Amino acid sequence: MDITILSIFPKMFQALNESLIGKAQEKELVNIDVVDFRDFTTNKQNHVDDAPYGGGAGMLLQAQPIYDAMDYVEKKKPGKKRVVLLDPAGKTFNTKMAKDFAKEDQLVFICGHYEGFDERVKDLVTDEVSIGDYILTGGELPTMSMIDATLRFVPGVLGNSFSAEEESFSNNLLEYPQYSRPADFRGKKVPDVLISGDHEKIRLWRLEQALKKTLERRPDLLEHASLTDEEKKLLRKIRQNN
């Protein structure tokens, strides 16, 4: 996978050279380039923003430097691209979107700043995406979050190929509780079923715990979950016992 990020704060993305993403780059599972679109300004002041027509508070990112930066990216990396604009008004990012992004050969993220974008920038993009109903100072942090979530679904990035499938939200269920050694820590004991050695009982316990946690904390997720007959039966049992 090839990822390009357009930002006026390229140093922020040094964090992507660490941990699993850094290792994925070393293994050449993903290539990440950051393009500073300030380098493409044509005015003497090197500004990438200007006041909006019609007046109003704040400054808008201009279309020209972003268009020219995208022209540069296209010449350097020809081919079909999925271009993501970080915008608070966009669709909310989720696991399904991360899985879809992971199937792409080329992703481009355009990070906003200031009050917003010249509307014409949106003609360049395929997706307008937000990470939630709140405002940050720019699109850099949301971009890093999306890249991290997306790369977990790229084969080879995670050490355990099953990890991403078992984590929270992967099937619209929150993750079941997990424990490590020691079995008894300050009087807090690991559930007996987990040290029983009975894999079927462990599987059922984990499934029931995931359903219970989801029902308690995020019942909205169950509205969209495609539950199996086994899961529906366990869910009915949980509801009856509550």
Side-chain angles (χ1 to χ4, degrees):
M1 170 180 281
D2 189 277
I3 296 176
T4 303
I5 304 162
L6 271 60
S7 168
I8 55 174
F9 297 104
K11 291 182 179 179
M12 291 185 68
F13 295 96
Q14 291 176 358
L16 296 179
N17 295 325
E18 304 294 332
S19 189
L20 288 174
I21 298 178
K23 292 178 180 178
Q25 292 185 76
E26 292 175 2
K27 295 177 183 177
E28 298 184 351
L29 297 172
V30 60
N31 176 68
I32 301 176
D33 291 319
V34 186
V35 175
D36 186 346
F37 59 84
R38 191 184 295 277
D39 294 340
F40 296 86
T41 58
T42 56
N43 60 76
K44 294 180 180 180
Q45 295 78 22
N46 211 31
H47 289 167
V48 294
D49 62 318
D50 204 347
Y53 279 114
M59 305 287 278
L60 291 179
L61 287 170
Q62 296 171 287
Q64 176 270 315
I66 296 176
Y67 266 76
D68 286 357
M70 284 296 297
D71 288 343
Y72 165 81
V73 172
E74 184 57 43
K75 289 178 182 178
K76 186 178 179 181
K77 303 176 182 181
K80 183 181 178 182
K81 298 173 180 62
R82 191 160 184 173
V83 183
V84 181
L85 183 72
L86 280 296
D87 189 336
K91 293 182 179 179
T92 303
F93 184 73
N94 56 25
T95 296
K96 181 181 182 303
M97 201 178 293
K99 289 180 178 180
D100 289 342
F101 285 177
K103 298 173 185 177
E104 301 293 335
D105 292 327
Q106 290 195 56
L107 285 174
V108 179
F109 292 89
I110 303 177
C111 301
H113 225 74
Y114 308 117
E115 187 64 24
F117 295 92
D118 183 305
E119 188 70 16
R120 290 166 289 192
V121 170
K122 296 181 180 180
D123 292 337
L124 295 170
V125 311
T126 56
D127 302 83
E128 297 174 39
V129 185
S130 165
I131 61 168
D133 295 336
Y134 50 91
I135 306 297
L136 298 176
T137 55
E140 285 76 17
L141 293 176
T143 293
M144 283 188 270
S145 296
M146 292 184 195
I147 290 173
D148 188 294
T150 296
L151 290 182
R152 298 178 75 82
F153 294 103
V154 173
V157 171
L158 293 182
N160 183 344
S161 61
F162 297 103
S163 294
E165 296 177 7
E166 294 185 352
E167 291 175 337
S168 291
F169 307 112
S170 61
N171 59 347
N172 271 351
L173 296 179
L174 299 183
E175 192 174 18
Y176 49 79
Q178 298 194 71
Y179 299 84
S180 185
R181 295 179 182 177
D184 187 338
F185 177 69
R186 297 186 179 182
K188 301 177 187 295
K189 297 182 179 181
V190 173
D192 291 338
V193 65
L194 295 180
I195 54 179
S196 68
D198 189 323
H199 296 295
E200 178 60 14
K201 286 184 178 179
I202 291 172
R203 184 190 70 82
L204 288 172
W205 181 87
R206 286 175 168 172
L207 180 56
E208 185 174 353
Q209 292 300 312
L211 287 163
K212 184 177 180 181
K213 183 188 285 189
T214 307
L215 181 62
E216 291 174 349
R217 301 184 185 183
R218 291 292 306 275
D220 57 297
L221 293 176
L222 293 172
E223 297 176 9
H224 306 288
S226 299
L227 300 180
T228 65
D229 290 340
E230 179 183 48
E231 290 167 338
K232 291 176 182 177
K233 182 178 179 180
L234 283 172
L235 187 59
R236 285 195 296 269
K237 173 186 170 184
I238 293 167
R239 283 175 165 151
Q240 288 171 359
N241 292 336
N242 284 349

